[in-house]
């Protein structure tokens, strides 16, 4: 089951970005360091095309440090792009951001030509937390429900450096199934939008392949060979006493436990994708999407011809 998620207010956000982007020198896209590819916004890429981009990998304290290094190198290799990794405890995020933006747009600066920066990010990526820390006070509401940031605001980071925050978020379409699961596991997708068990099974699958020792240590599983995501979820339910009346395993509860353990770092610092993995998923997703579009166009054409033939025979 692929996860589709498109809250209505995203249309408004899109318009707001379109209007704001004209006077912007650098676009900051906040990405979750645990899932940078999946937490990127595909629509943003078209909206901000051509603008220098700073990728801020947030929550690095939760991500696998080696993978964060790989993602930073991946972005820093791109023309017109710089990347930094931060977390809520980073001592001087403003300094890091200002320096990176100056590298990206060296012709801006001074009160006559202030640097104008737009910050964007999907829900829960840590945007409000960063902005609060930049402002030095708790002025932006943070929360665990998707899309808390509602109104545009401007933060003056230096006399010649303005940071504009976009209201809301954008997510037009998740064409990569893995991205949907990773976003759900991270908490970026609202609680109503996904099925815990499916997400937990995908998460277990990934952990079995890439972080087996974390999984084994947390749930005291001696050997993963011969296990599947489903048998591991069963084992977690038994180990954590998630049993319903009648002795049946409570797999919903077990799924919640795995997701909670991932989000709370009980499984350790884990990243759900590498640049290479994400590229592979994206290529497959794009191809599938193109095939779907072709099929849809062919069906539409066939219906049109059938209507025409019927009209002629009448
Ligand atoms: P948003 O504006 O992008 O929607 O995200 P927000 O700042 O509200 O952050 C979403 C959640 O992520 C918050 O947790 C926040 O504390 C947490 N968070 C933000 N930055 C970091 C970070 O660098 N490291 C870690 N580990 N967590 C971070 P919450 O539980 O939803 O709310 P709260 O009670 O902690 O405020």
């Amino acid at each position: 089951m692929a996860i589709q998620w498109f809250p209505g207010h995203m249309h408004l956000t899109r318009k707001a970005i379109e209007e704001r982007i004209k006077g912007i020198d650098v676009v900051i896209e906040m990405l979750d360091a645990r899932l940078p590819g999946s937490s990127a916004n595909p629509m943003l890429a078209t909206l901000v095309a051509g603008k220098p981009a700073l990728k801020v990998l947030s929550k690095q304290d939760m991500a696998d440090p080696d993978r964060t290094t790989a993602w930073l190198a991946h972005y820093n290799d791109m023309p017109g792009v710089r990347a930094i990794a931060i977390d809520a405890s980073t001592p001087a995020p403003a300094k890091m951001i200002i320096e990176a933006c100056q590298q990206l747009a060296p012709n801006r600066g001074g009160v006559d030509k202030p640097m104008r920066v737009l910050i964007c990010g999907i829900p829960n990526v840590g945007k409000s937390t960063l902005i609060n820390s930049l402002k030095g006070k708790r002025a932006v509401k943070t929360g665990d429900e998707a899309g808390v940031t509602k109104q545009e605001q401007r933060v003056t980071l230096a006399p010649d450096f303005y940071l504009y925050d976009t209201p809301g978020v954008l997510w037009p379409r998740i064409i990569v199934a893995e991205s949907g699961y990773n976003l759900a596991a991270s908490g970026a997708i609202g609680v109503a939008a996904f099925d815990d068990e499916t997400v937990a099974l995908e998460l277990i699958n990934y952990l079995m392949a890439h972080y087996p020792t974390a999984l084994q240590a947390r749930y005291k599983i001696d050997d993963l060979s011969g296990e599947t995501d489903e048998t591991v979820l069963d084992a977690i339910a038994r180990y954590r006493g998630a049993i319903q009346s009648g002795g049946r395993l409570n797999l919903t509860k077990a799924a919640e436990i795995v997701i909670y353990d991932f989000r709370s770092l009980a499984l350790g610092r884990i990243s759900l994708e590498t640049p290479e993995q994400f590229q592979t998923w994206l290529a497959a997703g794009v191809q599938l999407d193109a095939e779907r579009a072709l099929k849809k166009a062919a069906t539409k054409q066939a219906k049109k011809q059938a209507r025409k033939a019927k009209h002629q025979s009448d």
Side-chain angles (χ1 to χ4, degrees):
M1 180 201 71
I3 294 170
Q4 289 297 339
W5 185 63
F6 193 163
H9 64 76
M10 286 192 187
H11 288 297
L12 293 174
T13 311
R14 179 190 180 144
K15 282 194 83 158
I17 293 179
E18 270 168 355
E19 274 164 32
R20 169 59 61 199
I21 198 71
K22 292 162 208 146
I24 287 298
D25 306 306
V26 175
V27 175
I28 296 181
E29 185 174 18
M30 284 193 79
L31 304 170
D32 188 321
R34 296 167 297 169
L35 48 144
S38 295
S39 56
N41 193 304
M43 190 186 275
L44 195 63
T46 28
L47 286 179
V48 307
K51 298 277 177 187
L54 173 61
K55 311 282 183 189
V56 172
L57 271 55
S58 64
K59 307 191 187 185
Q60 68 159 348
D61 56 320
M62 305 179 89
D64 177 334
D66 291 341
R67 289 190 171 194
T68 300
T69 304
W71 276 103
L72 290 177
H74 169 76
Y75 290 125
N76 281 322
D77 267 356
M78 295 177 176
V81 179
R82 290 213 49 76
I84 56 173
I86 61 161
D87 60 55
S89 69
T90 299
K95 191 165 172 275
M96 286 174 79
I97 289 171
I98 291 172
E99 278 173 11
C101 290
Q102 280 168 343
Q103 285 172 12
L104 283 163
N107 57 331
R108 300 298 304 187
V111 278
D112 294 344
K113 287 191 294 172
M115 181 83 75
R116 296 149 309 172
V117 174
L118 180 71
I119 186 163
C120 312
I122 65 161
N124 222 36
V125 76
K127 193 159 63 117
S128 313
T129 303
L130 174 65
I131 292 172
N132 282 337
S133 124
L134 293 173
K135 291 177 90 167
K137 59 181 185 230
R138 212 174 151 76
V140 187
K141 194 177 176 323
T142 61
D144 55 5
E145 283 302 313
V148 162
T149 315
K150 291 282 190 308
Q151 280 172 356
E152 185 187 78
Q153 57 170 333
R154 193 180 90 173
V155 185
T156 307
L157 293 195
D160 62 347
F161 196 111
Y162 303 145
L163 180 81
Y164 294 91
D165 180 24
T166 47
V169 283
L170 282 167
W171 197 274
R173 218 164 151 225
I174 300 168
I175 59 167
V176 179
E178 288 86 348
S179 291
Y181 301 127
N182 289 354
L183 287 161
S186 75
I189 294 183
V191 281
F194 67 89
D195 165 53
D196 276 348
E197 212 175 304
T198 312
V199 173
L201 287 172
E202 292 295 328
L203 182 57
I204 290 171
N205 221 352
Y206 193 83
L207 296 175
M208 285 172 76
H210 301 283
Y211 295 95
T213 45
L215 195 61
Q216 287 175 270
R218 179 72 187 158
Y219 305 115
K220 304 281 177 287
I221 303 170
D222 290 338
D223 188 7
L224 281 172
S225 51
E227 300 287 349
T228 66
D229 47 3
E230 289 180 347
T231 61
V232 169
L233 189 63
D234 288 354
I236 294 169
R238 278 193 297 274
Y239 175 64
R240 295 293 293 267
I243 316 279
Q244 304 182 86
S245 56
R248 271 190 306 130
L249 297 176
N250 186 342
L251 297 179
T252 307
K253 180 80 196 147
E256 282 169 15
I257 289 171
V258 181
I259 295 171
Y260 178 82
D261 284 353
F262 167 68
R263 289 182 189 169
S264 65
L265 289 178
L267 283 159
R269 293 174 68 168
I270 285 168
S271 295
L272 295 177
E273 50 202 47
T274 65
E276 295 74 25
Q277 284 164 354
F278 184 74
Q279 287 310 320
T280 312
W281 299 341
L282 188 61
V286 166
Q287 194 184 336
L288 203 71
D289 210 44
E291 282 166 13
R292 252 187 241 127
L294 272 177
K295 216 168 146 186
K296 206 168 153 189
T299 314
K300 202 170 160 191
Q301 181 67 15
K303 276 188 185 157
K304 198 171 157 192
Q305 278 175 348
R307 267 201 310 274
K308 204 168 155 193
K310 187 172 180 295
H311 185 69
Q312 281 167 352
S313 69
D314 284 347

